[in-house]
Amino acid sequence: MKYFIYLFGLLLLSYGSTSAIEEHISAFATESESIEYLSLNYPDKAIELYKRNSAKLLTTHSEKTVSFYNDVLVAASSVHDTVLIEELVGLLAHRRLDPFREPYLFAIINVLGVSYGTNLQYVEAIAAYKCALTLTDNKLEKTIAKVNLAIAYRMAEQPALSYQILQSIDESILSGRRIAGVLVVKGNTAMVLREVGAAIDHYTMARQYYIKTKHHRNAARVTVNLVGAALADGQWTMDNGHYLIRFEKH
């Protein structure tokens, strides 16, 4: 894991130094279409699909090849398969894919940051997310990297810096579900800063967004955060008479 950022630093410097002829990969077009869904919902099955196509992928040179590898990288990160992550990074860095890699660099580096974080390598995760921020001009992608960077700083015991980054996020460009996610991260950071009242406000708003967008499972999860925050502050009570969590000061 410690060599990933260095590897992609070299990759960026050498980008475009070689050329390759795009080869069609219609033989596994169906697999390419399903790999993204599997990587996000059934990572083990995505990895199985990759292993069935790994030899075929070695003979292809196209954007679809990079996309396939990137989706499998997401799956490998989800199941914390460090060996497979290293394998995929090596494949993604191969010169035959140089002409097709650029649109995926942000996604690749961002996933590596997540992998570092799950491996408790927060310094490396921070470096990855900072790198990811330089690889995109897309406002949504920058927001994703900022949220991940804020989480990494909080886990690295720098919650004040985490909160500062979260405050710089433009929530107006986000969907209701994404705004709710940012609010949950703000609440978690506020809890670390012992700003329990602020945490409760963030969790409450997040829960309302989740309910409004019909993400009831996420709303239930935030309810747990709300209960924990309420228990941490004796000035708050819980009223669940209508199956909703509502906090009021004594």
Side-chain angles (χ1 to χ4, degrees):
M1 289 289 292
K2 65 181 180 180
Y3 298 110
F4 287 172
I5 298 299
Y6 175 73
L7 172 64
F8 272 93
L10 292 179
L11 180 155
L12 288 168
L13 289 174
S14 63
Y15 179 79
S17 61
T18 62
S19 62
I21 299 174
E22 179 173 357
E23 296 182 10
H24 296 292
I25 55 173
S26 57
F28 59 94
T30 303
E31 287 86 347
S32 294
E33 292 168 1
S34 63
I35 189 67
E36 181 178 5
Y37 173 80
L38 291 176
S39 68
L40 295 173
N41 298 280
Y42 304 100
D44 290 329
K45 292 187 181 297
I47 292 170
E48 289 177 11
L49 184 58
Y50 160 70
K51 290 180 178 178
R52 290 201 301 271
N53 287 282
S54 59
K56 201 181 304 180
L57 284 160
L58 290 172
T59 66
T60 65
H61 310 70
S62 77
E63 189 170 314
K64 283 188 176 181
T65 310
V66 179
S67 177
F68 199 105
Y69 283 146
N70 182 61
D71 287 331
V72 181
L73 182 62
V74 172
S77 177
S78 296
V79 300
H80 308 160
D81 189 336
T82 304
V83 174
L84 181 55
I85 291 171
E86 290 188 9
E87 176 184 328
L88 290 164
V89 168
L91 290 167
L92 284 163
H94 197 281
R95 288 183 177 276
R96 69 189 172 89
L97 299 178
D98 280 358
F100 315 106
R101 189 185 302 106
E102 187 175 21
Y104 296 91
L105 285 176
F106 169 83
I108 293 167
I109 296 297
N110 188 65
V111 172
L112 290 180
V114 173
S115 298
Y116 281 129
T118 57
N119 213 34
L120 307 183
Q121 295 176 263
Y122 301 121
V123 172
E124 291 83 355
I126 289 168
Y129 295 135
K130 284 182 175 181
C131 180
L133 279 168
T134 68
L135 296 174
T136 183
D137 292 322
N138 181 283
K139 290 183 178 180
L140 179 57
E141 288 182 339
K142 281 189 175 293
T143 297
I144 291 170
K146 281 185 176 182
V147 172
N148 287 337
L149 180 60
I151 293 171
Y153 271 121
R154 187 187 76 227
M155 298 304 293
E157 300 183 354
Q158 299 183 63
L161 186 52
S162 171
Y163 204 75
Q164 180 180 341
I165 292 169
L166 291 169
Q167 295 301 106
S168 72
I169 290 174
D170 180 7
E171 295 180 3
S172 67
I173 68 169
L174 302 178
S175 66
R177 184 176 68 85
R178 290 187 183 276
I179 292 174
V182 172
L183 288 167
V184 170
V185 177
K186 284 184 176 180
N188 293 342
T189 303
M191 286 295 291
V192 175
L193 292 169
R194 299 184 179 181
E195 297 289 343
V196 180
I200 289 174
D201 289 342
H202 293 315
Y203 292 145
T204 300
M205 287 188 289
R207 186 173 180 279
Q208 291 169 350
Y209 272 112
Y210 280 135
I211 291 174
K212 185 177 181 179
T213 55
K214 299 182 180 180
H215 287 87
H216 298 296
R217 181 174 297 180
N218 286 334
R221 290 171 177 166
V222 176
T223 298
V224 175
N225 294 62
L226 272 167
V227 172
L231 292 174
D233 190 336
Q235 297 183 55
W236 299 78
T237 60
M238 185 173 69
D239 173 13
N240 63 350
H242 296 89
Y243 302 101
L244 296 175
I245 303 301
R246 185 177 63 219
F247 293 91
E248 300 174 346
K249 286 189 177 181
H250 285 164

